[in-house]
Structure formats: structure tokens, C-alpha cells
Amino acid sequence: MSVQPLAPSDASLLELVDRLLNKGVVLIGEATISVAGVDLIYLGLNLVLSSVDALERPRGGPAGGGGSSGGGAPRT
Amino acid sequence: MSDLRYLYAIAGAENARAIAESELRGVEGGRVTAVVEAALSGATSTVRASDYDEAPLNEHLRDLDWLAPRAAAHQEVNGRLHELLDAVVPVSFGAIYRDDDGVRALLRSRAGELAERLASLRGRSEWIVSIERDAGRPSESDALGALEREIAGAPPGRAFLLGKRREEVVRDERRERDATIAAVAEAAVGTIAERVYREPLIEGAETPAVARFSVLVPRDRQPDLASAVRELERSHEGGGYRVRLSGPWPAYRFGGLE
């Protein structure tokens, strides 16, 4: 009933990486080493992470109509 | 033997002291310090070249066990800075500089653009609104009900064909409902958010999201966003959707757009 925002610290690893690597503000200047080919890495990771996610929470419970928040994200 | 600088975020130079006093620890436990250049400052920590130079870093990134705690640490630094400061431009994971001068060069060469981004983020937070299908809830339309009754009374061959037809109807109806709730959600959050960005769906994510939005919201309007989301969920209770709100995030998305 109440929408309890899910804190970023409760986000799944996949969501976190989605934000930090895929969406993160990329500032590549000459002086930067930076992560090369972020998109490629992200694509690969995406596969790895989603399978890990699936392992960590086997078909999440019916996310309690009762008290708690709506999400079933694991704590990392 | 040599060290590199890991950059987490950019803030105003007036925040340098707050960054230094935050006593935050970075990805490898190093203390987060501010590198100042004119009106801007960068929050950085020291990392080893043996792990963070281009080749080893890109090697490490394939290793989930290596990445997970460091991604969490990166976000923790940014999350704290976002709490402490009025405006922060978070940088994506793994922006590494040779030394402080490299960071200063960046702050100098992009000074105007960074100042603009900071101004556009001041006093605002990023949130993620995702609409998910409630898998447990079966769909029941009149058309479907009629079809099911017909299947029940049909001989096997015809029932098989009708069954195929039924699958099609279920899919179409679901697609239509998904599109409806996505549009309704976009409009609802749009009344509160300054900026709304419809995210591509995360391929292969465990929860079947129908739509995801990143939204930029003034910090004092967070309660309004929460109630808009609550309202949205309530109005579609029968429709079999859940709406999830995640945040407040530093503006990873909106700090980088345009």
C-alpha cells in the first residue's frame, strides 16, 4: 500500500552497474585512462549479472501486499 | 610503484572543504580528497596503477567478484556526496587520471560545461520509476472469457486452433495494457519531475519490467513523487502491475545527458 522508495544501497548489482557503467557520466579527456569501450563491457556484464541475479533470487516471492516495500532486490 | 587518481564526482570548489572533511573512503579504501581547479573540485582517491591502469582495469572488469564491491563503493562515495552537497556531477565507474594535474586539466578544459551541469542538478535528485508486471495476476477480458468457453466446448482439433488464437489474444491484450500503463506513468511522473527519460529495458533482468523511467526531481518534491507513484499503483491495482521507486540517486543519468 505505501510506496517505500528502494534505497540505492538496496539496488541489485545489475541495476547498480546499469547506472554506474552504462549511464554514468563519461568524461573522457586526453588525460583520462578510463574504462575502454564501456558499452562492450556493459553488454558482457549484463549477461553475467542477470544470470547471477537469477541465481540469487529464485523467482522472487509475491513481494508482500502486506507491510514491506514492493521490490525483491537482494542486499549487496 | 606508481599511483593513479580515481575520480568519483565533480562539485563546486566551495565544496572542497566538505569533501575533505567527509572522511569518505574510496574504492580501495583510500581517503577521498578534493582536487581544486578554479571554480570546480573533483572528488578523488588514490589507487594502484597495477590494478587501475588501462590493461589491468579492463581485465578486472570482467571479474564480477572484483567489480561488485568496488561498484558499491563508488556509489557509496557518490551517495554520500549527494547527501552532503547541494550539487554533484557523478562520474561513471572507472575514470582514472595519472595524477592531480590530469584531474585539473579535465576541470579546466570542461569548466563551462561542468558548471552548467552542476547548476542544472543543484537541489535535485534522480529517481528510477519502474513498472513491473505482477506475474501472479492472470488477465481476464470479455473476449478471452468467450474464447475460453468456446475452447471448452470444442472438439480437439478445433480446440487446438482456438488455443493458438487464445495465446495471441493474451499477448495482444498484454501489450496494449503495458503500453497504456507506460503512457499513464510517464504522464504522472511528468507532472512532478523536471526531466523524464525513458530507459531502455535491462535485457534479461529477472523482474519483467514493462517500462523504466529516470526522473530528475527537486529534493523537496520527493514526497510528491512518492504519492504520484502510490496513486499510479492504486489506480491500476486491477491491472496487475507494480510500480517501484528507487532513489535518491546522484544524477548519473541526467548529469550526463546533453
Side-chain angles (χ1 to χ4, degrees), chain A residues 13-69:
Chain A
L13 190 52
L14 180 58
E15 276 177 311
L16 190 60
V17 169
D18 184 59
R19 284 280 119 178
L20 301 194
L21 273 106
N22 193 38
K23 308 290 154 50
V25 178
V26 185
L27 298 165
I28 298 172
E30 314 78 65
T32 317
I33 292 167
S34 192
V35 174
V38 162
D39 287 347
L40 281 179
I41 292 160
Y42 174 72
L43 277 179
L45 271 176
N46 209 349
L47 294 174
V48 180
L49 287 173
S50 31
S51 53
V52 169
D53 251 18
L55 281 177
E56 275 180 2
R57 29 174 179 169
R59 277 294 135 201
S68 66
S69 70

Side-chain angles (χ1 to χ4, degrees), chain A residues 1 3 62-65 70-71, chain B residues 129-140 170-185 198 201 207-213 229-245:
Chain A
M1 28 172 79
V3 175
Chain B
V129 178
S130 54
I131 321 285
E132 289 161 9
R133 226 179 265 136
D134 219 339
R137 196 112 39 160
S139 53
E140 261 314 326
V170 167
R171 238 190 335 263
D172 288 352
E173 287 184 354
R174 187 197 289 161
R175 199 174 301 133
E176 212 168 287
R177 279 197 315 272
D178 288 357
T180 305
I181 181 125
V184 170
R198 184 158 184 182
L201 299 178
T207 33
V210 166
R212 291 169 78 233
F213 301 95
V229 166
R230 191 180 315 130
E231 205 44 52
L232 191 64
E233 193 164 60
R234 190 177 300 151
S235 69
H236 279 269
E237 242 166 21
Y241 294 95
R242 266 183 311 159
V243 187
R244 205 155 62 92
L245 184 61

Side-chain angles (χ1 to χ4, degrees), chain B residues 195-216:
Chain B
R195 295 163 76 183
V196 178
Y197 179 83
R198 184 158 184 182
E199 298 284 347
L201 299 178
I202 300 181
E203 203 64 46
E206 189 253 347
T207 33
V210 166
R212 291 169 78 233
F213 301 95
S214 289
V215 297
L216 189 70

Side-chain angles (χ1 to χ4, degrees), chain A residues 4-8 11 15, chain B residues 126-130 244-249:
Chain A
Q4 205 64 267
L6 214 61
E15 276 177 311
Chain B
E126 189 167 294
W127 295 80
I128 308 167
V129 178
S130 54
R244 205 155 62 92
L245 184 61
S246 164
W249 289 87

Side-chain angles (χ1 to χ4, degrees), chain B residues 15-60:
Chain B
N15 296 134
R17 199 195 172 115
I19 293 170
E21 286 174 356
S22 67
E23 308 246 325
L24 283 167
R25 297 279 164 175
V27 284
E28 298 296 335
R31 205 170 151 163
V32 175
T33 57
V35 174
V36 180
E37 174 67 27
L40 298 170
S41 64
T44 68
S45 73
T46 299
V47 290
R48 280 188 311 271
S50 55
D51 280 323
Y52 285 83
D53 216 330
E54 194 148 359
L57 177 61
N58 284 295
E59 193 58 44
H60 279 319

